[in-house]
Amino acid sequence: MNPTALTILIAYSAVTILALAAVLWIWKSTHSFDRDRKDEVDTHKLVEGEKGWFIFAVITLGILALATLAFIPYGDNAAAKGQQQVSVEGQQFAWVMNPGTIEAGTPVRFKVTAKDVNHGFGVYNDDNVMLFQIQAVPDSVSHIVYTFKVPGRYQVVCMEFCGVNHHNMIGQFQVEAAK
Ligand code: CUA
């Protein structure tokens, strides 16, 4: 099992276990096991508790937003000077890229479309790590800008089920060192 698959397995297992624990906890907290118990509901305490949870949620989401804002890739999609343009067309069951070679170190604008049905343009490096993906949609052109830092062989894998031969819809291209 490669490291990426292992990471995904561990992360998904952890989230599943946490979710099951939460479900169990909620179930337990809403079921009374003692039939004779007659609790007075302290609404004041509940209101105070709710305030606490609200503040907790706002702070947690705020921290998550601030911590991850810098990783949003959309800013990279702004027009960059001297960027390379590559047209990509997906069709059952192949990728056509023009031009087929790319230079490292300069932003590449991929203009992605599809000839027949929806496909997913997913680009992997030689270590099988996914770098980015974007939908390939008929009658529409999707843009994504990416800068390759390392020259070498890259793979294109279709990320959207598009027919019987979807799993074979794999392409590749070369990234050459900057001249
Ligand atoms: Cu094209 Cu799946």
Side-chain angles (χ1 to χ4, degrees):
M1 192 181 282
N2 73 39
T4 313
L6 190 68
T7 310
I8 291 171
L9 177 73
I10 292 170
Y12 273 63
S13 306
V15 168
T16 307
I17 290 167
L18 281 175
L20 285 175
V23 167
L24 212 67
W25 182 68
I26 291 168
W27 180 78
K28 197 170 163 281
S29 71
T30 50
H31 286 73
S32 178
F33 297 100
D34 183 358
R35 288 186 179 280
D36 301 325
R37 229 172 81 186
K38 283 193 187 69
D39 291 328
E40 284 292 320
V41 178
D42 185 349
T43 47
H44 181 73
K45 203 179 149 208
L46 285 178
V47 169
E48 284 305 311
E50 216 158 76
K51 267 186 210 160
W53 276 111
F54 178 70
I55 292 166
F56 172 78
V58 168
I59 290 174
T60 308
L61 291 175
I63 290 171
L64 279 174
L66 287 175
T68 52
L69 220 50
F71 300 106
I72 292 179
Y74 303 125
D76 298 343
N77 267 338
K81 273 208 180 108
Q83 71 182 4
Q84 307 164 77
Q85 310 268 341
V86 176
S87 300
V88 178
E89 190 176 57
Q91 60 178 62
Q92 290 162 325
F93 296 94
W95 294 101
V96 180
M97 286 176 63
N98 190 21
T101 51
I102 287 165
E103 201 175 289
T106 314
V108 186
R109 176 177 294 273
F110 290 96
K111 295 183 281 187
V112 183
T113 188
K115 202 172 192 174
D116 34 40
V117 297
N118 278 17
H119 302 274
F121 181 65
V123 174
Y124 286 75
N125 69 14
D126 222 13
D127 295 325
N128 279 331
V129 174
M130 184 192 248
L131 304 176
F132 62 89
Q133 82 99 24
I134 191 166
Q135 290 295 106
V137 180
D139 299 323
S140 170
V141 182
S142 316
H143 293 241
I144 190 164
V145 176
Y146 188 84
T147 306
F148 295 91
K149 294 187 183 80
V150 187
R153 192 184 70 106
Y154 289 80
Q155 261 201 339
V156 180
V157 179
C158 185
M159 304 306 295
E160 171 104 30
F161 183 72
C162 55
V164 285
N165 229 356
H166 156 74
H167 60 287
N168 283 327
M169 191 166 164
I170 298 170
Q172 57 172 301
F173 60 88
Q174 287 289 329
V175 172
E176 292 170 351
K179 283 163 202 138

